[in-house]
Amino acid sequence: MELGVGAYLKKINKSLVLSKIIKHEMISRAELSNITKLTKATISSQVSDLLEDGLIIETEQEYNSVGRKPIMLSLRQNAGYALGIDLDYQNITFTVSDLKGNPVHSDHVELENSNYDEILHLLIAQIRGYQEKFTDSCFGIVGVSIGVHGTVKNDETISFVPQHKWYNKDLKRDLEKILNTVVYVENNANLCSFAEKVYNFHQSKNLISISMYSGIGIGFLINGELVKGYHGYAGEMGHMIINPNGKPCNCGNFGCWELYASEVSFINGLSEKLNKPKLSYEDIENLVIERNPTVMEQIDKFIKNVSIGLNNIINILNPETLVLNSELLKLFPEAMSLIKSNLKASISNYKEIYISDFGTNACVMGACALAIKNFLDIPELSLSVDQVEFYNQVI
């Protein structure tokens, strides 16, 4: 029994020490002891194990004073790599990051149909390719995380993906029984919120991320933890009804928020009004610059509909941080000021609201971060990437 307790405490200490090394990027043994309140002997033992594992490295810091140069500890970022996958409707994005979350490779694969077996074989072929490509690193691909645009149960099985019309699929096990790697399956909006927490808002304990692209997905953290609900379906606020007599939705109801406040709904509606199919973001940006009256009228309606849903969310959850993931809102300079002016709830409130810097890459960044956190087995992950660049190759 005592051996079991000792091993458990050693594991906790190891996770604590490693998480602090990652958070501070470079730190000395003495600083680690001071921050963690662990003895110098414990720190020395844990650091020795981490060095032997190949997870951290030692570096002599530049030092102008007399005496020994301090030895700094940092994560060995190229010891292994994480694979994040955004499994969307018409395409799949694959991004490989190092252990510090820096993207090192990205591919974009167009989908021809929604056939589950065909997409499963595509995923297997791609993942095997990355395993081979990064096999020379110490740990290779340390984990694969997949963001699904649908409902994912707490056991990581897929309940329903509306746009693919998938029901009750066990993608995790279907992949793991063929591939020699651990696979995580998560709702894409949850991964987006995890990315914002890990990379941008380290101190925010109550954060909501709202993805507004093909539909509306919401991931939220309360007291720093993802909230998933009883079955894992929490966050499907894109299907809260804002117009009871409104448009029919794939979910079976009428007037759902995402039918009025998602980017696809805006673009489809604008294309119809302008009689211009396949409008791009660049097309819309040019029309905004020209102050095209039809576009400006549609943007005004869009922002009002976005604000209706945000007011409801604020009243329900009272968030500290709201992050809107939308390329469309970035094209309209006045968007945020107009949204803020519409958030007039007096009962509840929020602290800050932003447009995400990650854009459509939020899901894969969160997926990579989740694989890293689980591989390192640490309680909390904080990463800093100065500028995220993706080198997308269309396959």
Side-chain angles (χ1 to χ4, degrees), residues 34 66 101 192 226 269 290 325 331 345 380:
N34 183 51
V66 177
C192 289
L226 276 172
E290 296 169 7
N325 199 313
L331 304 181
E380 188 173 6

Side-chain angles (χ1 to χ4, degrees), residues 217-235:
I218 297 179
F220 55 102
L221 298 100
I222 303 297
N223 295 325
E225 297 294 330
L226 276 172
V227 176
K228 298 186 180 183
Y230 177 55
H231 289 297
Y233 303 166

Side-chain angles (χ1 to χ4, degrees), residues 63-70:
Y63 194 59
N64 296 324
S65 302
V66 177
R68 292 180 59 186
K69 293 181 180 180

Side-chain angles (χ1 to χ4, degrees), residues 5-24:
V5 172
Y8 177 67
L9 290 175
K10 186 174 182 179
K11 179 181 178 182
I12 289 176
N13 289 339
K14 183 178 181 179
S15 295
L16 176 62
V17 169
L18 184 55
S19 66
K20 296 303 180 184
I21 291 173
I22 294 169
K23 182 177 180 179
H24 291 270

Side-chain angles (χ1 to χ4, degrees), residues 144-178:
V144 178
S145 294
I146 304 174
V148 175
H149 294 240
T151 51
V152 178
K153 297 178 184 177
N154 287 325
D155 63 1
E156 297 184 66
T157 58
I158 297 170
S159 176
F160 178 47
V161 180
Q163 291 174 320
H164 283 303
K165 298 294 188 291
W166 290 352
Y167 292 89
N168 301 318
K169 299 295 184 182
D170 198 347
L171 181 62
K172 173 183 173 70
R173 276 84 189 178
D174 288 342
L175 290 171
E176 285 184 337
K177 67 186 178 185
I178 295 175

Side-chain angles (χ1 to χ4, degrees), residues 161-220:
V161 180
Q163 291 174 320
H164 283 303
K165 298 294 188 291
W166 290 352
Y167 292 89
N168 301 318
K169 299 295 184 182
D170 198 347
L171 181 62
K172 173 183 173 70
R173 276 84 189 178
D174 288 342
L175 290 171
E176 285 184 337
K177 67 186 178 185
I178 295 175
L179 300 166
N180 185 29
T181 190
V182 62
V183 176
Y184 308 100
V185 175
E186 184 57 88
N187 171 267
N188 73 298
N190 284 342
L191 291 177
C192 289
S193 65
F194 190 63
E196 299 295 345
K197 168 68 174 173
V198 168
Y199 289 96
N200 295 324
F201 302 100
H202 301 153
Q203 305 305 317
S204 182
K205 294 296 184 182
N206 295 277
L207 180 147
I208 296 176
S209 172
I210 303 171
S211 300
M212 302 171 63
Y213 296 103
S214 54
I216 290 185
I218 297 179
F220 55 102

Side-chain angles (χ1 to χ4, degrees), residues 45 85 125 133 135 137 167 193 196 206 221-222 291 303 374:
S45 173
I85 301 173
K133 182 178 177 67
T135 191
S137 63
Y167 292 89
S193 65
E196 299 295 345
N206 295 277
L221 298 100
I222 303 297
R291 311 300 283 188
I303 286 176
N374 289 340

